[in-house]
């Protein structure tokens, strides 16, 4: 049972490049989330999806787009990467009123 | 919506119980108290959660006051591997909001 799987684990981009962070869960959870964590800070919510076919903005959505491809997969896209988006990105999923389960994170550096 | 309040840091001697407090005075009736920890920059690890009753699992115990305005996470026999940032989060079926947590240092 893999839980929440994030790919890639590490990525270095140049300013202006685009990329998509992938997240997949195998627990049949309805809700999925994307957070970012900057050094010394707590996690901040970027976007979330309460069910397949729906997405909503979180605290820090600017510069990102998301796609809930199906119940298993929730991707995060940076269309034009900026140095301020250098961070560790975590994906999570949960069943209703149950704890969120997190992936191991994607460490993204933008030069 | 106020987040929870936790001390920024705590120390605990190895082998002793670690008691981590959390204030959540604005908690609603249908909101749970969740505890997570994060070791280095790994993904947050779920520890325990509860609504109004005390809870225990293989990792920890959670004591919630009768008025539900505060709680305590208890690690009964702390080890060096328990050194981490511990997050106390109140939430219902909406996304969990993380504060800065308590940095617990377990000392040999």
């Amino acid at each position: 049972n893999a839980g929440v799987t994030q790919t890639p684990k590490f990525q270095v981009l140049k300013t202006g490049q685009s990329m998509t962070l992938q997240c997949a869960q195998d627990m049949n959870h309805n809700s999925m989330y994307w957070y970012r964590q900057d050094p010394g800070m707590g996690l901040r919510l970027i976007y979330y999806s309460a069910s397949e076919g729906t997405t909503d903005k979180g605290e820090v959505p600017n510069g990102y787009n998301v796609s809930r491809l199906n119940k298993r997969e929730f991707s995060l896209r940076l269309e034009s990467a900026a140095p301020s988006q250098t961070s560790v990105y975590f994906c999570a999923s949960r069943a209703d009123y149950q704890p969120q389960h997190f992936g191991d994170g994607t460490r993204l550096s933008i030069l | 919506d106020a987040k929870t309040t936790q001390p920024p840091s705590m120390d605990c001697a190895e082998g002793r119980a670690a008691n981590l407090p959390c204030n959540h005075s604005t908690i609603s009736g249908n909101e749970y108290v969740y505890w997570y920890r994060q070791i280095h920059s790994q993904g947050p690890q779920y520890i325990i959660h509860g609504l109004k009753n005390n809870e225990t699992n293989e990792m920890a115990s959670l004591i919630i006051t009768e008025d539900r305005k505060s709680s305590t996470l208890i690690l009964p026999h702390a080890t060096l591997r328990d050194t981490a940032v511990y997050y106390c989060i109140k939430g219902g079926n909406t996304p969990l909001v993380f504060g800065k947590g308590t940095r617990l240092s377990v000392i040999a």
Side-chain angles (χ1 to χ4, degrees):
Chain A
N1 189 346
V4 178
T5 302
Q6 293 185 235
T7 55
K9 296 188 184 304
F10 301 93
Q11 185 71 48
V12 179
L13 294 177
K14 294 181 180 178
T15 298
Q17 286 186 316
S18 63
M19 81 161 294
T20 300
L21 281 62
Q22 306 287 352
C23 175
Q25 53 93 7
D26 61 2
M27 296 172 282
N28 201 36
H29 288 166
N30 285 327
S31 301
M32 298 186 72
Y33 310 85
W34 277 105
Y35 292 84
R36 62 176 285 177
Q37 185 174 34
D38 299 327
M41 305 289 289
L43 280 72
R44 292 185 294 169
L45 183 68
I46 305 172
Y47 270 95
Y48 67 101
S49 170
S51 62
E52 187 178 353
T54 69
T55 61
D56 286 284
K57 295 179 180 179
E59 180 185 358
V60 288
N62 290 344
Y64 305 95
N65 287 302
V66 290
S67 296
R68 183 74 182 268
L69 304 171
N70 47 56
K71 193 170 187 179
R72 289 188 65 248
E73 299 172 289
F74 189 38
S75 62
L76 179 71
R77 182 162 178 82
L78 286 71
E79 290 291 352
S80 179
S84 61
Q85 294 177 305
T86 292
S87 192
V88 182
Y89 291 83
F90 291 103
C91 177
S93 70
R94 78 190 292 194
D96 291 349
Y97 286 98
Q98 294 301 307
Q100 289 179 195
H101 296 265
F102 286 82
D104 291 333
T106 294
R107 283 143 185 82
L108 181 63
S109 293
I110 300 164
L111 307 177
Chain B
D1 180 24
K3 298 175 184 175
T4 60
T5 302
Q6 299 178 254
S9 64
M10 293 180 62
D11 293 336
C12 177
E14 188 178 20
R16 303 297 296 270
N19 295 276
L20 289 83
C22 180
N23 180 290
H24 33 79
S25 58
T26 61
I27 195 167
S28 301
N30 64 347
E31 288 186 312
Y32 286 77
V33 178
Y34 296 90
W35 282 85
Y36 285 78
R37 71 181 183 184
Q38 190 173 27
I39 299 172
H40 297 301
S41 294
Q42 298 176 18
Q45 178 189 20
Y46 164 74
I47 301 172
I48 199 167
H49 75 291
L51 185 62
K52 54 184 177 181
N53 296 322
N54 298 338
E55 302 287 344
T56 295
N57 63 20
E58 64 279 4
M59 290 183 68
S61 295
L62 174 61
I63 307 298
I64 302 174
T65 58
E66 191 169 346
D67 62 9
R68 301 186 69 234
K69 292 185 177 181
S70 65
S71 62
T72 301
L73 178 74
I74 301 171
L75 308 178
H77 305 286
T79 70
L80 298 178
R81 289 177 293 180
D82 292 322
T83 292
V85 178
Y86 287 76
Y87 297 98
C88 168
I89 305 164
K90 65 179 179 74
N93 214 27
T94 52
L96 298 183
V97 177
F98 285 73
K100 294 187 176 180
T102 296
R103 181 171 298 278
L104 175 68
S105 298
V106 180
I107 303 167

